[in-house]
Amino acid sequence: MIALGADHGGFALKEEIKQHLDDIGVPYKDFGTHSPESIDYAKIAYKTCRSVVDGECEKAILCCGTGIGISMAANKVRGIRAACCSDYFSAKFTRLHNDANALCLGGRVLGVGLALELVDVFLTTEFEGGRHQRRVDQITAIENGTFEG
Ligand code: RB5
């Protein structure tokens, strides 16, 4: 199950992503927003990301105007590794190397075609592990206040 969330700046893109996930048969849960009316992205990031860290959903896809504000908020949720991506290589390698569990996209930055390519590669690429696991563990240690440098 994929968790979807967007503020008003990402609402239209989220709707495109929903249509795409329907087309390819990927189940999702939509945490809003459900209209183009203004809403704060932190609120959406929090509830969407909670569903990932609580185990209800595997990964999150979050959209705001730039993808940046919602990624900043998402990365404050313990256990979330959110990547704001605008190119294919980054969306692929944030799975391979960072085990990112949230993809953040800018609805005012990306065309729909590219955004859907980023969604597809993010959802289908597995984490490589190995030396990258150590680095992800270090991120977790920073988050937990146990990192010793
Ligand atoms: C909303 O106007 C906009 O600031 C928001 O969608 C996002 O781009 C913030 O980073």
Side-chain angles (χ1 to χ4, degrees):
M1 181 74 72
I2 302 303
L4 298 180
D7 76 351
H8 53 290
F11 169 69
L13 179 57
K14 174 173 68 67
E15 297 307 296
E16 296 281 356
I17 292 169
K18 280 166 63 176
Q19 180 64 59
H20 178 64
L21 296 181
D22 284 338
D23 291 347
I24 61 174
V26 172
Y28 58 82
K29 184 166 177 183
D30 183 357
F31 289 87
T33 187
H34 301 291
S35 85
E37 264 178 58
S38 182
I39 186 168
D40 297 335
Y41 53 77
K43 180 177 175 173
I44 298 290
Y46 183 72
K47 62 180 178 178
T48 308
C49 289
R50 284 293 340 164
S51 77
V52 174
V53 296
D54 291 344
E56 181 188 6
C57 294
E58 294 154 35
K59 296 186 181 85
I61 299 174
L62 298 163
C63 307
C64 70
T66 58
I68 296 172
I70 209 160
S71 70
M72 289 179 172
N75 275 315
K76 298 298 182 188
V77 178
R78 187 180 295 272
I80 290 294
R81 289 177 301 282
C84 180
C85 296
S86 298
D87 69 277
Y88 188 90
F89 184 89
S90 297
K92 179 175 180 177
F93 275 79
T94 200
R95 288 288 311 129
L96 288 171
H97 287 188
N98 314 130
D99 199 16
N101 52 11
L103 174 67
C104 303
L105 302 171
R108 297 172 181 159
V109 178
L110 299 169
V112 173
L114 174 58
L116 299 182
E117 289 286 313
L118 304 187
V119 165
D120 284 347
V121 75
F122 180 79
L123 294 182
T124 57
T125 304
E126 295 297 324
F127 179 47
E128 267 182 10
R131 68 188 185 282
H132 302 296
Q133 183 63 60
R134 181 179 70 246
R135 295 162 184 167
V136 170
D137 290 345
Q138 290 169 352
I139 295 171
T140 304
I142 293 170
E143 186 172 68
N144 292 336
T146 57
F147 187 61
E148 292 180 353

